[in-house]
Amino acid sequence: MSRNRTLRTLALWCAFLLVHVLVAVAGWLYPSQPMGDVVLVYEPWSSAALSGGPIVGVTETWVYPQLALVPMLLAKILSVPLIAAMGISDAYLIAWAVLVIVLDAIAFSVLIGRSPSQPRRAAAWFWIAALLLLGPIALYRIDAITVPIAVVAGLWVTRRPAVAAALLTIGAWIKIWPGALLLAAVVAARSRMRILLTAAAVTASIIALLFLFGADVEIFGFLTEQTGRGLQIEAVAATPFLWLAAVGSARIEYSFEILTFQIAADGADAVGAVLTPLMAVLVIVITVIGALKATRGAAFPRLFPPLALSLVATLIVLNKVGSPQFQTWLIAPVILWLVLDRTRATAPALIVLALCALTCLVYPLNYDALLRAEILPVAILTLRNVLLVVALVVGIRALVRVPAHRPSTNRE
């Protein structure tokens, strides 16, 4: 490896680690408790499970898929030496940040290797910039665990399809969204049968293990728990109601059951009720378009990235929830797009970077003002939500434009 390449790789690693440290520390400095979920929710869940108390997802229904508890438990175990050696009160937070940074570093090493190509360097710089712009929310949520898993799996779909399928399935059992990448891989990759069989085997193993631990109706509780929730204030579909709240014609209320702020207004429940069916329909439509392209000979590097981004963006745009950490879901598809088809990935990459910056401006920097329905944060959130729709449109447009030609057959 030449000296210049060595220096470029070293610069990438230095920037990557520096940004992680800055973002981790910013969690202590930014307003609105961007680390709140980690200490107020994840730590109590893990403590209860380790101390013989209720086990979320096993002895009681849970909002997350069951494997989400694993990294929470790992962080709790990692925090024990910190408490014993130094008596650090924020040991769990530190342990969580270390866990995420280690997982990100593993994925980053897979991405850039020893001598990264220009597309992989571009993808690496994009990841660094996205983390910096999104801020602490990129680290201090369960979603941060799934991003490196999705990145590694996406890079391995063609070379190690079974391993990629296993990783994406595990990721989906932590937070559902990696299932969108799994679906895209099934559609776009030639080894789709191996991917399907591996995903089915991993899922069956997880369900069998949960049965052994005593779970039954709780196994799919993460799906049923979502049905009763209202329209969260940051959801794309909540945007018109936020403007109504700004002029006093709607209210922002806190749900103690779901632990989130929701819209209370005429029509909000009706809008929330149609979002999930609409999401399902659009996922089917996008999948059918991708499948038609695949059957007509579309190349994997052209088909997989826009298909993955379109599916992930659909899960965000037509969601009753609009949590800021959802923006991390978009990072993996764009990294893969930059690696596989860099010339067409510029616009999606810039859009996602803008989404990260706008999201940080809303949460945590102006979240208190948003809860008061002040005009500035509502306007920023509106711009963010419009840009999410643009990201979806850009993904679908790129998917429709993927060239697909049936293999020619010689007739005598």
Side-chain angles (χ1 to χ4, degrees), residues 381-395:
L381 182 58
T382 300
L383 179 57
R384 197 282 306 268
N385 288 344
V386 169
L387 204 55
L388 276 170
V389 176
V390 171
L392 175 60
V393 171
V394 167

Side-chain angles (χ1 to χ4, degrees), residues 103-387:
L103 291 174
D104 279 358
I106 292 171
F108 198 70
S109 67
V110 173
L111 173 62
I112 67 173
R114 295 184 61 189
S115 179
S117 62
Q118 191 171 355
R120 286 178 178 256
R121 288 200 304 272
W125 283 116
F126 163 80
W127 193 357
I128 292 167
L131 286 171
L132 183 63
L133 292 172
L134 188 54
I137 204 69
L139 261 65
Y140 297 108
R141 289 295 186 275
I142 188 63
D143 308 70
I145 301 294
T146 57
V147 173
I149 293 174
V151 169
V152 172
L155 293 171
W156 284 355
V157 166
T158 54
R159 290 185 298 151
R160 301 181 179 93
V163 177
L167 287 173
L168 287 174
T169 305
I170 290 169
W173 276 93
I174 295 174
K175 199 72 186 283
I176 295 173
W177 77 268
L181 268 64
L182 179 63
L183 178 58
V186 169
V187 170
R190 292 183 178 180
S191 52
R192 58 181 58 90
M193 189 54 65
R194 193 185 309 176
I195 293 172
L196 268 175
L197 291 174
T198 302
V202 172
T203 297
S205 300
I206 292 170
I207 292 175
L209 190 62
L210 291 172
F211 270 120
L212 288 176
F213 276 106
D216 41 61
V217 295
E218 295 85 5
I219 290 178
F220 296 105
F222 62 92
L223 297 176
T224 58
E225 283 287 295
Q226 299 290 339
T227 56
R229 68 190 306 164
L231 191 61
Q232 190 184 5
I233 61 171
E234 294 156 272
V236 172
T239 306
F241 296 104
L242 266 184
W243 284 102
L244 290 176
V247 297
S249 299
R251 300 188 314 279
I252 295 172
E253 296 182 347
Y254 187 74
S255 169
F256 288 95
E257 182 180 356
I258 303 295
L259 305 179
T260 189
F261 289 94
Q262 300 180 163
I263 289 290
D266 292 338
D269 289 341
V271 170
V274 301
L275 287 177
T276 301
L278 282 176
M279 181 194 298
V281 170
L282 187 54
V283 164
I284 292 170
V285 170
I286 291 170
T287 303
V288 168
I289 295 172
L292 289 173
K293 295 287 184 178
T295 57
R296 293 172 183 170
F300 178 84
R302 287 292 304 272
L303 177 59
F304 179 71
L307 178 57
L309 182 67
S310 298
L311 290 171
V312 172
T314 298
L315 298 184
I316 301 174
V317 171
L318 294 176
N319 206 314
K320 289 190 289 185
V321 182
S323 300
Q325 62 267 24
F326 285 8
Q327 309 312 309
T328 61
W329 304 1
L330 297 168
I331 293 174
V334 173
I335 288 173
L336 299 174
W337 203 338
L338 286 164
V339 170
L340 295 171
D341 189 19
R342 185 169 65 94
T343 57
R344 295 170 185 85
T346 301
L350 292 175
I351 289 171
V352 171
L353 290 178
L355 284 168
C356 289
L358 290 169
T359 298
C360 187
L361 285 174
V362 173
Y363 183 89
L365 296 181
N366 288 285
Y367 198 64
D368 287 343
L370 179 67
L371 296 180
R372 295 190 296 268
E374 294 182 7
I375 295 298
L376 179 59
V378 170
I380 295 172
L381 182 58
T382 300
L383 179 57
R384 197 282 306 268
N385 288 344
V386 169
L387 204 55

